[in-house]
Amino acid sequence: MVAFFVFVAAGVSDAVDGALARHLNQQTEFGTMLDPIADKIMLVSVYILLAYLGHVPLWLTILIVSRDMLIVFGILLAYALDKVVTIKPLWISKANTLAQIVLAAFTLGILAFKLEWPMVMLALVWITAILTTLSAMAYMRDGLKLFATSESDEQVDKV
């Protein structure tokens, strides 16, 4: 039950923090990069623990972690190759993150309150899996486009 309330409190405080930063025009480049990293560390940690304890499928956790590693690897490779990367989440990525948060909160909630809702759980697992896969594919598509551009193409874009 403590894990459920800590997870919910972390999510609410993250949302309030983001809303205040936008509303008060206090957004920084560092905060813009750090916030999604912190969110992903929390989500990946929750999924690894839930999979280890047998509350979410291991294959789903592997899918979620693999997608995130793919994105990080792609960004690092782009920087190593001096490619200009604009870090801006895609709409499918936002939907994916929402699904991951809902599934994690739901799982923690049913454990905390000792509920049995297997059909809802199954639906959330598959929705999360599909959105995670679509998000990974969208980032791979964008990454391939980025790596397919030559230096002459980049010079034209900069002019």
Side-chain angles (χ1 to χ4, degrees):
M1 190 166 294
V2 172
F4 171 74
F5 286 112
V6 168
F7 185 81
V8 170
V12 169
S13 68
D14 183 50
V16 170
D17 172 62
L20 283 174
R22 284 186 297 278
H23 181 71
L24 299 174
N25 200 26
Q26 296 293 314
Q27 292 175 294
T28 64
E29 186 175 331
F30 181 69
T32 302
M33 286 180 53
L34 188 61
D35 186 63
I37 292 170
D39 293 346
K40 280 299 166 187
I41 289 171
M42 181 183 70
L43 271 175
V44 165
S45 300
V46 167
Y47 273 95
I48 289 172
L49 185 57
L50 288 173
Y52 175 76
L53 295 174
H55 300 300
V56 296
L58 178 61
W59 63 265
L60 179 63
T61 299
I62 291 169
L63 180 66
I64 290 168
V65 172
S66 298
R67 174 202 164 268
D68 292 343
M69 288 175 51
L70 176 76
I71 292 168
V72 169
F73 177 74
I75 291 169
L76 292 174
L77 183 60
Y79 280 124
L81 297 174
D82 290 327
K83 296 284 187 176
V84 178
V85 178
T86 304
I87 300 175
K88 184 177 181 212
L90 305 171
W91 70 267
I92 190 69
S93 178
K94 290 180 181 188
N96 169 56
T97 300
L98 177 63
Q100 288 179 12
I101 290 168
V102 168
L103 176 57
F106 181 80
T107 303
L108 291 170
I110 62 172
L111 291 169
F113 299 106
K114 299 179 185 355
L115 302 172
E116 295 284 334
W117 291 353
M119 295 307 291
V120 175
M121 180 73 175
L122 183 62
L124 290 174
V125 163
W126 282 105
I127 289 167
T128 302
I130 290 166
L131 289 173
T132 300
T133 302
L134 291 174
S135 176
M137 291 170 62
Y139 278 115
M140 286 185 346
R141 179 202 63 216
D142 288 355
L144 290 173
K145 283 182 190 175
L146 176 69
F147 291 120
T149 60
S150 65
E151 274 188 43
S152 60
D153 292 340
E154 289 179 17
Q155 294 301 322
V156 170
D157 290 343
K158 291 179 183 177
V159 172

